[in-house]
């Protein structure tokens, strides 16, 4: 029976809307406040976005069915530069962008014309995204919707900023930022192509002196200055002689450009060839030694200054380059120089336990490295660097630093070189190239007199660590990433010159940056409802208002007068805040771990008392399209609304969720969605067929199927609590099928006609469990099952109302395994049966069986030991006659699931003969149309022409087929 998915979607969406089912106010019930990162409306959402929001919706719906009063709201993040950039491109008639709007996003042409105005772009895609969310069936309380450029929101952000500044958490200063030279704006993840966060590192420049000209070398290991033997320059590179403030430097052109962004005045004097410097000598800052400059090909002009100091004892690259020089093969080394070089020996200056005197030499030889362009040198460098950093001690030749640990002395040495006027810093992107959305390559800029969030503040970090420790993080394996991010975070620019958003309240030249105005907005969902109802006026909101709502400061009556609302209304909002806060769960994609999610915690711990700190973070991976990454250039982006129209909301939701657990990448493909559709359609058909009848007195198979159902419900609930949605869906949709088939077979063979009520109950539970995932079709199924209430408003079936009946589980497992055995025998012998005879094991064997089972449950699986203990016991000493029986029984037990073993122990002995006589005959009759005879092994009258009975074991009776 085919389902008209679109009709089903609309029917139930209409019903939910009519009943205001997703509007949540405070009440007497326990609440859950579930939020998800609000979308940035610069394009319609595609299937990839759908994953995060669908997971959040399933979570919300599940908790609602568990009895919580769940609030799931949504806002729209207009702040930032990307929309502005798009508007500029539309104005400039950028055909590629406009073509994309038309063909990929299907934006009407008259709308595109308006897109030169940034807000028009945001509004258009805002409505588009919202419609998609409604069509996906998300249970959002739309009364609380807002955008980040609404006047009330801007007042809220101003309050946040003033508050942070008062706490000295927003500071003015000079700090490095990722920077777009074209836009003249700081850049973070949302501003770059491919959404990469610019990441940078600080090099120390040590300046050597060549007749008054500085030869600057960039290093991460200033302490190794004491081991310098020479300087490396690349003879193939054209360097520049530049004026840096008042000094003359030799550096690569790339370095000269980078220095220009670090608050240095740079003037290029002339180009100079690297080869000109080979053989010259420069004075080291720490001694009177002259250090010779030698040629090396591993030195790259885009790295550091393009010149490096050589420490061959501790740096594998330097060691190998020195070996290469000494070999005489390098043409830029003349014979005089070559004979000089032979005297250069590595200077050991760090002692590390486990490493030799010249560790670079040892590792180069160990790794079989034979030239300086060998990529293995990278690994060699890392290995020595980290070992020496953590365990190395500075040797006697390091003067005042001798005996200190590297990890401690590093900064002291840096300071010392700076003091003697020979150091500088160079900041470099570690993940370059990073491209701005405008196409320009980003750099690191030292930004002065800028506003920064002081994320390097130690107390602030500490508080955030405390919050993370208390928080639930799903999946927990991502927890350490948060700790790392927190430790590495430093000052972060929080103002921009361009874009949409809120002005920095005390410096109106600047706008609040988009990763700074999106960190505590969950609190604003409480207020936005009243703004939208026009019960408070956004323009009226003051800091006092927010202080009252969030902190309960001052008298409500006094504040009410000033902002033209009633005292009662203010108290109502305050109470609603107290009711819904803190955020119980925050959902987001994995890409927001290093920024938004960490900032969300940092700002909450800074601005809210501990009882209002976030409780949980849930992180999910992305969606692949038939195994490939989704991208515009691949042309494989499917807009969400288009997919809903094509496949229906529920098949889409399930397909996105069923292929992966949280952190894994989900895969979307057409076969999968068709499989899901078929499954849902057959379930729907069953619902229409299954009548709700009275449940009869329970037969063994009924007790069993209810036990299986109860197990299913417990397993699904456990998976849901951990947001292991893939696992939960598999349980609900597939894991139960073979059990149900068995049950139907059992009932049919017993010619029962009274199981409809039982089937109805089973189906009802499965439909309810399906409801958070596939809310539309679940309502439809629920209605077909004869219910007048909504499935989404019913209680989650954690318990199906029957106890787990361990004995029935043992019974059915026994029956199934006998049927399997009979089938196997028939398959092998290819006979058509005329009669089937079954022999159950003797009484003493059961005692032995239980004894072995107990051994296994206690962790004892050694046959010899078990046999010894059995012989030692009078009750089981008979196994002396048949030690093989022990081995076989032990194998029987070990091949069964642990759960079943435990159940067997608790149930104790069951009367196999009785069960087989009463329950198996009908099955045998049904399956093979023959009679069944059952004997006990100990039965003296038994029919046993082939002498089979002696092979019987507990739960493994012997079978004779004639
Ligand atoms: Zn740019």
């Amino acid at each position: 029976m085919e389902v008209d998915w679109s009709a089903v979607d609309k029917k139930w969406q209409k019903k939910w809307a009519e009943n205001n089912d997703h509007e949540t106010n405070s009440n007497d019930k326990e609440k859950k406040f579930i939020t998800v990162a609000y979308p940035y409306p610069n394009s319609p959402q595609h299937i990839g976005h759908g994953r995060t929001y669908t997971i959040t919706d399933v979570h919300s719906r599940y908790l609602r069915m568990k009895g919580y009063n769940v609030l799931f709201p949504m806002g729209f993040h207009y702040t930032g530069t990307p929309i502005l950039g798009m508007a500029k491109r539309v104005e400039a008639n950028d055909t590629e962008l406009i073509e994309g709007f038309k063909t990929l996003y299907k934006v009407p042409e008259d709308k595109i014309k308006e897109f030169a105005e940034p807000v028009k772009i945001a509004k258009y895609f805002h409505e588009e995204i919202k419609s998609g969310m409604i069509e996906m069936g998300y249970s959002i309380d739309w009364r609380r919707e807002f955008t980040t450029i609404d006047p009330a929101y801007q007042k809220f952000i101003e309050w946040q900023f003033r508050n942070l500044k008062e706490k000295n958490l927003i500071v003015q200063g000079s700090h490095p930022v990722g920077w777009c030279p074209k836009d003249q704006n700081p850049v973070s993840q949302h501003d770059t192509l491919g959404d990469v966060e610019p990441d940078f590192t600080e090099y120390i420049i040590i300046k050597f002196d060549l007749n008054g000209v500085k030869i600057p070398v960039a290093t991460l290991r200033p302490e190794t200055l004491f081991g310098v033997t020479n300087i490396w320059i690349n003879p193939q590179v054209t360097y520049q002689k530049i004026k840096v403030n008042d000094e003359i430097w030799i550096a690569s052109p790339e370095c000269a450009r980078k220095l220009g962004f670090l608050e240095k005045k740079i003037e290029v004097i002339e180009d100079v060839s690297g080869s000109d410097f080979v053989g010259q000598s420069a004075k080291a800052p720490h001694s009177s030694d002259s250090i010779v400059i030698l040629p090396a090909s591993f030195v790259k002009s885009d790295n550091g200054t393009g010149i490096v100091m050589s420490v061959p004892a501790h740096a594998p690259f330097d060691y190998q380059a020195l070996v290469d020089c000494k070999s005489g093969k390098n043409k830029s080394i003349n014979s005089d120089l070559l004979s000089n070089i032979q005297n250069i020996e590595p200077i050991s200056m760090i002692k590390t336990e486990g490493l030799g005197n010249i560790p670079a030499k040892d590792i180069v030889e160990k790794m079989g490295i034979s030239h300086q362009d060998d990529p293995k040198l990278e690994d060699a460098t890392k290995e020595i660097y980290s070992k020496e950093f953590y365990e190395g001690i500075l040797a006697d030749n390091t003067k005042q630093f001798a005996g200190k640990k590297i990890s401690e002395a590093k900064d002291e040495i840096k300071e010392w070189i700076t003091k003697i006027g020979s150091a500088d810093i160079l900041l470099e992107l570690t993940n370059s190239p990073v491209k701005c959305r405008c196409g320009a390559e980003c750099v690191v800029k030292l930004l002065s007199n800028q506003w920064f969030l002081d994320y390097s503040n130690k107390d602030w970090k500490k508080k955030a660590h405390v919050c993370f420790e208390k928080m639930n993080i799903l999946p927990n394996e991502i927890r350490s990433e948060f700790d790392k991010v927190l430790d590495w975070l430093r000052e972060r620019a929080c103002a921009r010159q361009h874009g949409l958003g809120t002005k920095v309240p005390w410096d109106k030249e600047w706008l609040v940056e988009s990763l700074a105005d999106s960190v505590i907005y969950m609190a604003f969902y409480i207020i936005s409802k009243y703004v939208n109802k026009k019960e408070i006026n956004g323009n009226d909101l003051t800091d006092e208002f927010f202080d009252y709502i969030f902190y309960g400061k001052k008298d409500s009556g006094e504040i009410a007068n000033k902002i033209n609302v009633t005292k009662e209304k203010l108290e109502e909002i305050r109470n609603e805040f107290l009711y819904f806060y803190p955020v119980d769960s925050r959902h987001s994609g994995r890409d927001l771990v290093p920024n938004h999610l960490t900032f969300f915690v940092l700002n909450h711990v800074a601005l809210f008392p501990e009882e209002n700190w976030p409780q949980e973070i849930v992180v999910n991976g992305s969606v692949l399209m038939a195994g490939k990454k989704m991208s515009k250039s691949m042309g494989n982006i499917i807009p969400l609304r288009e997919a809903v129209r094509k496949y229906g909301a529920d098949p889409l939701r399930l397909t996105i969720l069923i292929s992966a657990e949280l952190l894994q990448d989900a895969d979307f493909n057409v076969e999968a969605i068709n499989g899901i559709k078929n499954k849902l359609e057959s379930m729907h058909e069953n619902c229409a067929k299954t009548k709700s009848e009275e449940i009869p007195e329970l037969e063994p198979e009924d007790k069993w199927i209810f036990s299986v159902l109860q197990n299913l419900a417990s397993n699904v609930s456990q998976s849901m609590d951990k947001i292991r949605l893939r696992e939960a869906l598999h349980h609900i949709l597939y894991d139960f099928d073979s059990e149900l088939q068995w049950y139907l077979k059992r009932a049919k063979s017993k010619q029962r006609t009274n199981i409809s009520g039982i089937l109805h109950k089973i189906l009802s539970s499965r439909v309810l469990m399906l409801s958070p995932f596939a809310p539309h079709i679940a309502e439809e199924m629920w209605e077909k099952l004869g219910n007048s209430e909504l499935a989404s408003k019913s209680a989650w079936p954690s318990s199906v109302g029957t106890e787990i009946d361990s004995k029935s589980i043992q019974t059915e497992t026994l029956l199934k395994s006998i049927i399997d055995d009979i089938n196997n025998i028939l398959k092998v012998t290819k006979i058509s049966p005329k009669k089937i005879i079954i022999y159950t094991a003797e009484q003493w064997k059961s005692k032995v069986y239980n004894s072995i089972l107990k051994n296994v449950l206690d962790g004892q699986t050694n046959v010899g030991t078990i046999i010894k203990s059995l012989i030692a016991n009078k009750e089981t000493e008979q196994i002396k006659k048949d030690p093989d029986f022990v081995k076989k029984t032990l194998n029987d037990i070990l091949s069964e699931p642990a759960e079943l073993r435990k159940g067997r122990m608790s149930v104790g002995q069951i009367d196999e003969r009785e069960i087989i006589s009463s329950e198996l005959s009908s099955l045998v009759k049904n399956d093979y149309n023959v009679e069944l005879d059952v004997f006990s092994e100990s039965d003296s009258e038994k029919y046993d022409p082939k002498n089979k009975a002696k092979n019987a074991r507990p739960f493994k009776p012997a079978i004779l087929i004639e």
Side-chain angles (χ1 to χ4, degrees):
M1 187 165 71
E2 262 189 43
V3 169
D4 181 347
W5 294 98
S6 165
V8 170
D9 287 352
K10 291 204 176 76
K11 171 179 168 186
W12 296 102
Q13 282 159 18
K14 189 163 164 254
K15 199 146 225 162
W16 297 327
E18 280 167 6
N19 293 344
N20 303 326
D21 274 340
H22 306 135
E23 297 183 358
T24 309
N25 298 312
S26 54
N27 62 22
D28 303 337
K29 285 205 280 183
E30 195 178 333
K31 64 89 192 182
K32 290 284 179 190
F33 185 18
I34 311 298
T35 70
V36 56
Y38 52 18
Y40 186 72
N42 69 336
S43 62
Q45 293 199 306
H46 55 68
I47 291 179
H49 298 111
R51 186 174 182 202
T52 311
Y53 296 100
T54 304
I55 292 171
T56 314
D57 186 55
V58 173
H59 191 196
S60 302
R61 288 175 172 276
Y62 168 65
L63 291 172
R64 238 172 248 135
M65 291 178 75
K66 294 262 285 184
Y68 295 103
N69 187 31
V70 176
L71 174 57
F72 173 21
M74 189 63 61
F76 290 85
H77 196 198
Y78 282 24
T79 316
T81 51
I83 288 176
L84 188 72
M86 284 174 110
K88 278 188 190 153
R89 284 169 67 190
V90 171
E91 201 172 15
N93 221 352
D94 183 321
T95 46
E96 196 194 329
L97 181 76
I98 292 173
E99 218 29 55
F101 282 146
K102 277 190 214 163
T103 54
L104 186 60
Y105 298 156
K106 313 259 179 339
V107 184
E109 280 196 44
D110 53 321
K111 287 279 173 198
I112 299 177
K113 283 192 196 113
E114 299 176 354
F115 280 8
E117 203 182 321
V119 174
K120 289 274 163 65
I121 299 181
K123 284 204 166 127
Y124 180 83
F125 290 118
H126 171 163
E127 288 311 319
E128 184 75 10
I129 292 168
K130 182 178 174 182
S131 304
M133 288 177 166
I134 293 170
E135 287 159 8
M136 281 294 274
Y138 298 154
S139 54
I140 292 167
D141 183 350
W142 287 109
R143 297 171 307 160
R144 298 170 188 270
E145 179 185 1
F146 61 82
T147 85
T148 58
I149 59 169
D150 295 350
Y153 192 80
Q154 298 197 337
K155 298 279 187 208
F156 168 68
I157 297 303
E158 286 180 17
W159 170 83
Q160 176 199 343
F161 257 51
R162 272 194 285 263
N163 206 336
L164 287 170
K165 187 157 179 277
E166 260 166 44
K167 294 180 156 73
N168 273 328
L169 298 176
I170 291 180
V171 293
Q172 199 172 28
S174 296
H175 296 283
V177 296
W179 180 263
C180 171
K182 196 172 154 198
D183 295 336
Q184 295 283 307
N185 235 1
V187 285
S188 57
Q189 189 180 29
H190 292 314
D191 309 309
T192 62
L193 291 176
D195 285 331
V196 279
E197 179 75 29
D199 187 28
F200 43 86
T201 192
E202 186 184 284
Y203 286 89
I204 305 303
I205 290 178
I206 301 178
K207 292 180 277 189
F208 289 69
D209 189 277
L210 198 162
N211 302 327
V213 173
K214 301 293 174 196
I215 306 294
V217 302
T219 179
L220 292 167
R221 305 185 68 184
E223 70 277 10
T224 59
L225 177 61
F226 294 100
V228 66
T229 59
N230 60 284
I231 290 168
W232 298 120
I233 200 161
N234 191 331
Q236 308 292 334
V237 167
T238 302
Y239 290 81
Q240 286 179 335
K241 186 186 257 187
I242 52 176
K243 197 170 172 208
V244 181
N245 296 342
D246 297 324
E247 292 176 344
I248 306 295
W249 290 22
I250 304 296
S252 69
E254 291 92 333
C255 173
R257 181 164 179 267
K258 283 177 229 167
L259 290 169
F261 291 104
L262 300 176
E263 298 211 297
K264 285 191 175 5
K265 215 175 131 228
I266 304 296
E267 217 176 290
V268 177
I269 298 167
E270 59 179 346
D271 285 354
V272 286
S273 167
S275 58
D276 293 351
F277 293 88
V278 172
Q280 300 204 50
S281 291
K283 204 179 100 24
H286 67 300
S287 73
S288 54
D289 294 353
S290 275
I291 306 294
V292 66
I293 302 173
L294 296 176
S297 59
F298 79 87
V299 180
K300 304 286 182 252
S301 64
D302 58 357
N303 199 331
T305 58
I307 308 174
V308 300
M309 66 173 175
S310 168
V311 188
H314 303 285
F317 272 107
D318 297 340
Y319 177 80
Q320 184 57 43
L322 188 60
V323 170
D324 291 354
C325 277
K326 285 183 176 181
S327 74
K329 285 181 199 151
N330 194 318
K331 290 194 187 82
S332 46
I333 299 176
N334 62 33
S335 54
D336 281 355
L337 184 56
L338 184 61
S339 67
N340 278 341
I341 295 171
Q342 303 306 325
N343 300 328
I344 300 178
E345 288 303 329
I347 301 171
S348 174
M349 41 84 49
I350 300 168
K351 304 264 171 259
T352 311
E353 221 178 280
L355 292 184
N357 213 26
I358 314 288
K361 175 171 186 264
D362 298 343
I363 197 163
V364 160
E365 286 169 2
K366 190 182 86 190
M367 287 184 154
I369 291 164
S370 59
H371 58 86
Q372 61 189 287
D373 296 313
D374 191 327
K376 285 197 294 269
L377 279 165
E378 294 282 354
D379 296 330
T381 302
K382 270 185 209 145
E383 195 176 320
I384 292 190
Y385 180 92
S386 89
K387 193 142 175 68
E388 289 188 337
F389 179 79
Y390 291 108
E391 295 165 46
I393 307 284
L394 286 161
D396 291 343
N397 55 358
T398 62
K399 299 179 185 171
Q400 69 266 43
F401 303 106
K404 292 194 171 175
K405 277 177 132 181
I406 302 286
S407 49
E408 289 160 6
K410 209 179 183 73
D411 285 340
E412 284 179 46
I413 294 177
K414 190 170 111 186
E415 242 169 71
W416 169 67
I417 306 173
T418 309
K419 229 183 202 161
I420 57 177
S422 298
D424 226 310
I425 62 156
L426 179 67
L427 292 153
E428 208 163 278
L429 285 175
T430 50
N431 56 347
S432 65
V434 176
K435 290 255 172 96
C436 175
R437 281 184 193 251
C438 75
E441 193 168 330
C442 300
V443 295
V444 187
K445 182 174 165 67
L446 204 60
L447 205 54
S448 55
N449 294 324
Q450 237 282 30
W451 296 108
F452 289 87
L453 278 155
D454 188 11
Y455 288 147
S456 64
N457 182 313
K458 290 209 173 81
D459 293 334
W460 197 0
K461 280 179 198 272
K462 207 193 264 169
K463 242 173 151 180
H465 272 302
V466 171
C467 180
F468 272 112
E469 272 159 33
K470 290 184 177 174
M471 213 186 321
N472 196 22
I473 292 178
L474 295 175
N476 195 46
E477 63 202 86
I478 204 148
R479 182 179 289 277
S480 60
E481 266 183 51
F482 283 110
D483 287 332
K484 262 185 228 148
V485 173
L486 261 186
D487 290 337
W488 283 109
L489 266 184
R490 51 198 138 190
E491 296 86 356
R492 194 187 160 88
C494 59
R496 293 283 188 272
Q497 278 176 323
H498 315 287
L500 299 172
T502 305
K503 290 191 168 138
V504 172
W506 58 86
D507 193 348
K508 303 275 183 186
E509 298 284 289
W510 293 89
L511 285 154
V512 174
E513 186 265 340
S514 66
L515 278 160
D517 83 340
S518 55
V519 284
I520 56 163
Y521 67 88
M522 312 79 206
F524 191 74
Y525 284 124
I526 311 303
I527 294 165
S528 59
K529 184 181 88 175
Y530 297 93
V531 177
N532 293 343
K533 279 202 287 184
K534 304 216 161 33
E535 292 180 354
I536 49 177
N537 182 343
N539 294 307
D540 287 348
L541 304 183
T542 58
D543 284 3
E544 269 185 330
F545 166 81
F546 294 108
D547 281 345
Y548 175 75
I549 300 301
F550 301 140
Y551 304 146
K553 273 193 196 168
K554 292 197 183 162
D555 175 62
S556 53
E558 187 190 323
I559 299 163
N561 285 336
K562 291 187 200 162
I563 63 165
N564 196 24
V565 291
T566 63
K567 177 175 151 62
E568 290 68 32
K569 191 51 67 184
L570 267 185
E571 283 162 7
E572 184 187 335
I573 304 172
R574 164 77 178 152
N575 285 333
E576 191 170 329
F577 172 76
L578 288 176
Y579 175 78
F580 280 115
Y581 240 63
V583 171
D584 292 289
S585 191
R586 176 82 182 148
H587 286 256
S588 152
R590 185 180 193 159
D591 53 329
L592 300 190
V593 168
N595 43 64
H596 166 75
L597 287 171
T598 308
F599 303 159
F600 155 70
V601 169
L602 278 160
N603 282 270
H604 268 86
V605 302
L607 294 169
F608 293 96
E610 193 167 340
E611 63 267 23
N612 284 330
W613 291 1
Q615 303 293 300
E616 178 177 85
I617 281 177
V618 184
V619 178
N620 67 268
S622 53
V623 178
L624 302 176
M625 194 53 70
K628 293 197 182 73
K629 218 181 150 181
M630 262 190 267
S631 76
K632 246 186 247 175
S633 58
M634 299 276 297
N636 62 353
I637 290 182
I638 305 182
L640 197 64
R641 296 189 72 189
E642 191 180 314
V644 176
R645 278 193 285 274
K646 203 161 167 188
Y647 305 111
D650 293 340
L652 187 58
R653 291 168 64 114
L654 262 52
T655 308
I656 293 170
L657 296 177
I658 204 166
S659 80
E661 294 300 357
L662 282 174
L663 269 198
Q664 303 159 341
D665 286 335
D667 189 37
F668 183 88
N669 62 67
V670 176
E671 295 90 83
I673 204 162
N674 286 335
I676 295 276
K677 264 188 179 180
N678 291 340
K679 182 76 203 174
L680 293 176
E681 280 171 347
S682 90
M683 233 174 130
H684 177 244
E685 199 173 331
N686 278 335
C687 290
K689 286 194 308 207
T690 309
K691 297 276 160 298
S692 163
E693 284 169 9
E694 199 177 327
I695 293 179
E697 192 171 333
L698 299 185
E699 305 254 337
E701 65 271 19
D702 301 337
K703 290 182 188 161
W704 172 76
I705 196 74
F706 279 144
S707 300
V708 175
L709 182 66
Q710 179 58 59
N711 260 332
L712 178 82
S714 311
N715 289 338
V716 172
S717 303
Q718 274 172 32
S719 306
M720 294 299 280
D721 289 338
K722 293 181 198 138
I723 322 279
R724 293 184 61 84
L725 303 185
R726 172 184 179 275
E727 192 175 83
L729 261 178
H730 271 275
H731 287 318
I732 300 166
L733 290 180
Y734 302 112
D735 289 359
F736 200 69
D737 281 359
S738 64
E739 272 86 355
L740 198 60
Q741 288 310 318
W742 173 258
Y743 175 74
L744 291 173
K745 180 168 144 164
R746 286 269 279 137
K748 184 178 164 229
S749 69
K750 289 167 98 171
Q751 294 169 342
R752 291 180 60 184
T753 53
N754 60 350
I755 61 165
S756 186
I758 292 167
L759 292 177
H760 188 272
K761 184 169 169 159
I762 292 168
L763 209 43
S764 298
S765 299
R766 291 177 90 184
V767 168
L768 288 181
M769 286 186 253
L770 184 65
S771 169
F773 296 91
H776 310 85
I777 193 71
E779 297 290 10
E780 191 69 20
M781 293 175 184
W782 193 242
E783 189 182 63
K784 291 274 184 325
L785 285 167
N787 299 290
S788 50
E789 270 290 304
L790 294 177
S792 52
K793 287 198 162 174
S794 307
W796 177 258
S798 318
S799 159
V800 296
T802 48
E803 304 224 330
I804 293 205
D805 184 87
S806 297
K807 192 181 166 209
S808 73
I809 293 174
Q810 301 300 338
T811 305
E812 296 304 317
T813 311
L814 175 68
L815 297 177
K816 267 202 258 185
S817 91
I818 298 173
I819 291 288
D820 284 348
D821 286 348
I822 294 174
N823 284 338
N824 283 335
I825 294 169
L826 290 176
K827 213 198 262 165
V828 173
T829 60
K830 297 199 172 68
I831 56 174
S832 59
K834 293 179 192 69
K835 190 167 191 182
I836 297 178
I837 303 109
I838 290 181
Y839 308 95
T840 59
E842 275 188 84
Q843 188 61 22
W844 71 270
K845 286 183 174 173
S846 288
K847 280 190 187 134
V848 175
Y849 182 96
N850 282 340
S851 193
I852 299 173
L853 180 61
K854 188 166 184 315
N855 268 290
V856 171
L857 289 176
D858 290 345
Q860 181 55 265
T861 54
N862 182 296
V863 175
T865 317
I866 294 175
I867 290 179
K868 250 187 239 163
S869 77
L870 291 169
I871 293 173
N873 186 336
K874 263 214 155 13
E875 286 211 306
T876 52
E877 63 178 0
Q878 300 175 66
I879 54 104
K880 266 188 282 188
K881 291 184 286 180
D882 192 2
D884 207 33
F885 168 76
V886 179
K887 209 182 274 174
K888 283 182 175 157
T889 303
L890 181 63
N891 285 339
D892 291 344
I893 294 172
L894 289 176
S895 68
E896 276 168 352
E899 201 64 20
L900 191 69
R901 284 180 219 159
K902 275 189 227 151
R904 223 156 248 182
M905 199 69 204
S906 69
V907 171
Q909 294 181 24
I910 55 173
D911 188 341
E912 289 187 37
R913 186 176 170 170
E914 204 276 318
I915 290 166
I916 294 168
S917 313
S918 62
E919 301 295 330
L920 195 69
S921 305
S922 57
L923 270 174
V924 165
K925 185 93 195 155
N926 179 64
D927 283 11
Y928 315 108
N929 197 26
V930 296
E931 296 303 321
L932 176 78
D933 279 344
V934 190
F935 298 102
S936 165
E937 185 186 349
S938 56
D939 206 333
S940 54
E941 306 281 287
K942 65 183 180 285
Y943 170 78
D944 188 14
K946 297 262 171 78
N947 206 14
K948 291 257 181 196
K950 66 173 179 13
N951 299 329
R953 300 195 295 279
F955 300 100
K956 201 81 186 162
I959 300 168
L960 174 66
I961 303 180
E962 295 190 319

